[in-house]
Amino acid sequence: MSRSVALFLLLLLSGCGLFPKELKDSKSWSASKYYSEAKTELNEGNYQAAIKLFEALEARYPYGRYAQQAQLEVAYAHYKDGEPATAIAAADRFIKLHPNHANVDYAYYLKGLANFNDDLGLMGIVSERILGQDMSERDPKASRESFENFKELVTRFPKSKYASDAVQRMKHLVNVVALNEVQVARYYMKRGGYVAAANRAQYALKEYPQTPATEEALFIMVKAYDALGITSLRDDADRVMRKNFPGSRFLSDSTESDGEPWWRFW
């Protein structure tokens, strides 16, 4: 690579904010100076610049409270920069190195947030805002992991200031994962996979009871068992649904004037 090309790339990267300002003069900085400069970059939304400064701080002053806090701030900066996997890895590193740190609960919380917002990248924005797809229609892996992260936080640190928010997010995530199971059951149902549809809907009822997905899960079970000719299980599911959801939209939408049973219609 020629010197002119190298200089051009250096200037380009510097202009994009990938190199912290005045880093060339940082050799004489104290740990607190590194930290305050990094926090300034972080607060201004210059996440990559902040990360470089926090990492430089840890490299130059590897011991003490500033280095420890820098490790946690790096995880947060990666999270804010839309890098959930890197944020989780940084949070895990902090937890491993400082399991008894006063702020270790935040590391667990940050892992949950990173997984919770894992769908908010470019493809997530396209799916959610343009295609109208919600979290339940995508791979639930991140949602499951986020739930486990928040669960671990609440279990280990029930008095944490982040516990209340974690519980609320857990409630939302349960609904998301349950609805995903129903989405899959619906997929099988539309393609004639009645056994798979019934099993998936039954799993949703068993693992995630009392969620909004329960209503449609019961409806799918009725439809699937009817298609399979298993009238006893169909009638059981029908009875449970009518008892618990007497005003269900599935009941009203499926009623036909010719006397056909309501479960024959989607």
Side-chain angles (χ1 to χ4, degrees), residues 198-209:
N199 288 341
R200 206 66 182 245
Q202 187 177 49
Y203 177 83
L205 289 175
K206 180 180 178 181
E207 296 297 322
Y208 311 107

Side-chain angles (χ1 to χ4, degrees), residues 153-182:
L153 165 65
V154 173
T155 301
R156 287 175 175 265
F157 308 98
K159 295 183 180 181
S160 169
K161 63 181 180 180
Y162 308 108
S164 177
D165 183 69
V167 169
Q168 293 304 311
R169 291 177 185 271
M170 287 169 66
K171 292 178 180 179
H172 171 73
L173 288 166
V174 167
N175 292 340
V176 167
V177 175
L179 186 54
N180 178 266
E181 294 294 336
V182 171

Side-chain angles (χ1 to χ4, degrees), residues 42 70 103 119 136 152 170 187 214 226 250:
L42 184 63
N103 296 327
D119 290 316
S136 68
E152 188 169 16
M170 287 169 66
Y187 172 88
T214 296
D226 182 64
F250 295 109

Side-chain angles (χ1 to χ4, degrees), residues 89-145:
D92 278 332
R93 176 173 179 259
F94 182 85
I95 292 170
K96 183 177 180 179
L97 292 175
H98 314 291
N100 299 315
H101 193 279
N103 296 327
V104 73
D105 59 331
Y106 180 70
Y108 286 102
Y109 179 66
L110 193 56
K111 287 176 62 179
L113 287 180
N115 276 314
F116 188 85
N117 292 326
D118 193 35
D119 290 316
L120 298 185
L122 177 60
M123 293 309 298
I125 292 173
V126 170
S127 297
E128 185 172 355
R129 299 184 182 179
I130 299 178
L131 301 181
Q133 185 185 51
D134 62 35
M135 289 177 68
S136 68
E137 296 176 282
R138 299 193 285 275
D139 187 347
K141 181 176 182 292
S143 295
R144 294 180 190 276
E145 291 181 353

Side-chain angles (χ1 to χ4, degrees), residues 227-255:
L228 292 168
I230 309 176
T231 57
S232 59
L233 293 180
R234 179 201 67 193
D235 292 344
D236 286 343
D238 178 28
R239 187 162 43 251
V240 172
M241 184 171 185
R242 289 181 181 277
K243 179 179 179 181
N244 290 277
F245 303 99
S248 173
R249 63 186 178 89
F250 295 109
L251 290 172
S252 59
D253 291 347
S254 300
T255 302

